[in-house]
Amino acid sequence: MKRWLLTGGLLLAAHVAHATNLYAGQSRAAAVCSQCHGIRTPSADAPFPTLAGRDAEYLQTALKQYRDKTRKSDIMNAIAGSLTDEDIANVVAYYAKLKP
């Protein structure tokens, strides 16, 4: 019984270590992403797509590609270049959870 509790606790700790933080994602999105993409919708004259409600896997892949410069955009390469994997996971979780 004690062995199971220890193993279960370790598994829970590992899961929590990789959990996303929606508040951190919201904060990062407000500081970095929202100027162009908005939170729920971009401004009427902005040529940038809205990110709210987008597929999480797509957003994560795109941000990592921009960060690694395998997807080209001078603006996005510079912005995403400063994001850690944790930042990306948090922002993606936040935007994916929003309804457009």
Side-chain angles (χ1 to χ4, degrees):
M1 180 78 171
K2 288 182 181 180
R3 185 178 300 177
W4 181 85
L5 288 174
L6 178 61
T7 304
L10 291 175
L11 290 174
L12 179 60
H15 175 71
V16 171
H18 296 309
T20 58
N21 183 328
L22 291 177
Y23 295 111
Q26 180 181 21
S27 176
R28 181 63 86 166
V32 179
C33 312
S34 67
Q35 283 73 32
C36 297
H37 294 280
I39 293 296
R40 294 193 188 275
T41 59
S43 64
D45 58 343
F48 308 106
T50 184
L51 301 178
R54 295 293 293 257
D55 178 69
E57 187 175 330
Y58 169 79
L59 287 176
Q60 183 172 18
T61 298
L63 282 172
K64 286 183 177 185
Q65 288 172 342
Y66 284 128
R67 182 188 63 192
D68 300 338
K69 296 186 173 130
T70 57
R71 187 172 184 165
K72 301 295 181 187
S73 166
D74 291 339
I75 294 170
M76 284 303 300
N77 291 150
I79 292 170
S82 68
L83 299 176
T84 65
D85 283 341
E86 184 178 5
D87 291 333
I88 290 172
N90 292 337
V91 168
V92 164
Y94 173 69
Y95 270 117
K97 190 167 180 74
L98 291 178
K99 293 184 180 181

